[in-house]
Amino acid sequence: MMVDGFKKLTVGPPRVGAAVGTSSGIKGTRLSLHGSIHQTSTGIQSLDLLLGNGLNLSSAILIKETDYGEYSPLFVKHFISEGLNHDHVTICVGDRPEHWINTLPSPVENTDTVDKPGQGDDVEDLKIAWRYRRRLQARFSHSYDLSRHRPSTDLKNCHMINETDDLCKVISDVRGIIDKNLGNVCRIVIDHVGLPITNDHDLPRFFFNLRNSIASKNVVIMAIYPPECLSDDLNTFIEDHFNYVVRVKSLSSDKNPVYKDYHGILELIKISPMNTFTIAMYDLSDRFFKVKRKKFIIEKMHLPPDLSETVSRSSSGNTAGCGSGASALDF
């Protein structure tokens, strides 16, 4: 008798607090719309939409820092803070993240309220409210208040790796932390590791080994590198090891009045599909971001209206369409 190699996958209900739509029961993940792979949030909802509704697990995103550290750390801070909301394990490699974690933005509390039975509401309304209680509480991504910082008690799942001279030891330490937390999502932050460059082969080898370490695991990587510190060939080699590549450019020194409402430009350079045969069509046009007192916003910039006082229409030829003389209906 021939034995069928395919088995029906039976999945139990997701764990309380897991995002709706996930089948693995891991908090803060959900299935991608473009393939059978799980995703997690970057911490910035508008950035999630640009990248295909989130970061795929086992993927890596590269932030090309051309703003001299003015706004690019905000991406890392949201990335770390989002992981803390879901009890994810965070591994920070580099010197600057040790200072960034002291100023992580605080999440905005969910203002949605669900009534409990016995408060005089209609029974049918209460039944719908209770049905969506888990949906309201289990959020895939959160909003953050930049004016408030998280307390130090939230940093229990953060691991710091400051010694980065030996890249092989860094890989070994990262693997050890990942292997101890296979049932959870690990978020890795890589900041300027391997700089200054002493050997052009060290950094590509480091990322090659790092990507092998996270293959088929619940891990996402966010790395920050200034492209001007790397050669053109090295920039190309490094980009090949990342699924997402974006460039952050500051507009603080640009006096163009068109950019007066924005603080920087976000250039989408690369988005690689994973675990799918179809090619998703992504909008790779540049976005603009602005930092408000309590919010970080990424949006499309639209051309401003023409507010010039001069009329561009020509005054000649104001004749009727079928007549040859001057028309009484002269606009």
Side-chain angles (χ1 to χ4, degrees):
M1 185 178 76
M2 183 177 294
V3 179
D4 191 356
F6 294 95
K7 295 182 180 180
K8 183 178 179 181
L9 179 63
T10 57
V11 181
R15 193 176 67 185
V16 176
V20 177
T22 178
S23 61
S24 63
I26 301 176
K27 295 177 65 175
T29 64
R30 68 181 177 189
L31 279 175
S32 170
L33 299 177
H34 305 293
S36 56
I37 191 170
H38 284 81
Q39 294 179 316
T40 188
S41 175
T42 61
I44 304 174
Q45 297 177 359
S46 51
L47 181 59
D48 289 341
L49 294 177
L50 297 179
L51 302 180
N53 296 319
L55 294 175
N56 296 328
L57 296 185
S58 301
S59 68
I61 178 172
L62 173 64
I63 307 294
K64 306 192 79 169
E65 184 182 42
T66 59
D67 61 344
Y68 301 101
E70 187 174 1
Y71 298 108
S72 51
L74 289 175
F75 292 85
V76 177
K77 291 180 180 180
H78 284 81
F79 180 74
I80 297 175
S81 193
E82 182 67 28
L84 297 178
N85 287 334
H86 300 295
D87 296 328
H88 292 171
V89 177
T90 303
I91 307 172
C92 298
V93 185
D95 295 329
R96 294 191 301 175
E98 188 174 7
H99 305 285
W100 293 342
I101 61 175
N102 296 322
T103 57
L104 296 179
S106 178
V108 177
E109 297 295 334
N110 191 2
T111 57
D112 298 325
T113 58
V114 181
D115 297 330
K116 294 182 179 181
Q119 294 182 352
D121 294 323
D122 187 67
V123 176
E124 191 66 25
D125 293 338
L126 286 174
K127 189 179 298 184
I128 296 176
W130 279 94
R131 181 172 298 174
Y132 284 93
R133 172 178 290 277
R134 175 181 291 179
R135 185 176 294 272
L136 291 176
Q137 292 177 347
R139 304 172 64 183
F140 176 71
S141 60
H142 299 75
S143 299
Y144 294 91
D145 186 352
L146 296 176
S147 64
R148 297 171 53 239
H149 297 157
R150 300 187 75 114
S152 58
T153 54
D154 293 348
L155 307 178
K156 57 183 179 180
N157 286 335
C158 288
H159 302 267
M160 307 301 301
I161 301 178
N162 298 324
E163 298 295 332
T164 59
D165 295 335
D166 188 352
L167 297 183
C168 294
K169 186 177 185 304
V170 172
I171 294 292
S172 178
D173 294 341
V174 170
R175 285 176 178 171
I177 298 174
I178 293 175
D179 292 340
K180 293 179 181 178
N181 299 275
L182 294 178
N184 197 357
V185 175
C186 290
R187 292 173 178 251
I188 303 177
V189 175
I190 306 293
D191 177 56
H192 292 193
V193 174
L195 297 182
I197 299 295
T198 57
N199 189 337
D200 289 344
H201 300 288
D202 289 342
L203 207 54
R205 187 184 299 112
F206 168 75
F207 282 111
F208 178 80
N209 293 331
L210 184 62
R211 291 306 304 268
N212 283 340
S213 301
I214 72 169
S216 302
K217 294 182 180 179
N218 301 326
V219 182
V220 286
I221 298 174
M222 177 175 286
I224 291 186
Y225 277 90
E228 63 271 9
C229 295
L230 308 174
S231 63
D232 293 339
D233 292 338
L234 197 54
N235 269 307
T236 302
F237 284 135
I238 292 178
E239 288 183 10
D240 290 341
H241 291 90
F242 287 86
N243 307 95
Y244 314 91
V245 180
V246 299
R247 180 185 288 112
V248 180
K249 178 183 177 182
S250 175
L251 293 175
S252 57
S253 59
D254 199 319
K255 305 302 180 183
N256 193 330
V258 176
Y259 303 143
K260 63 180 181 179
D261 295 330
Y262 301 95
H263 294 93
I265 299 177
L266 184 70
E267 301 178 12
L268 298 176
I269 300 176
K270 175 184 176 182
I271 300 179
S272 300
M274 294 178 59
N275 202 30
T276 178
F277 290 107
T278 61
I279 301 177
M281 302 302 294
Y282 297 101
D283 185 6
L284 295 180
S285 58
D286 294 346
R287 297 301 198 275
F288 292 78
F289 63 83
K290 50 187 174 182
V291 182
K292 295 186 176 181
R293 191 174 69 89
K294 293 187 176 182
K295 201 171 184 181
F296 183 79
I297 302 173
I298 301 174
E299 62 185 14
K300 259 186 180 179
M301 194 197 76
H302 303 281
L303 292 177
D306 187 6
L307 300 178
S308 61
E309 297 180 358
T310 59
V311 180
S312 60
R313 292 192 299 269
S314 174
S315 59
S316 61
N318 292 329
T319 58
C322 299
S324 58
S327 173
L329 300 177
D330 188 1
F331 295 99

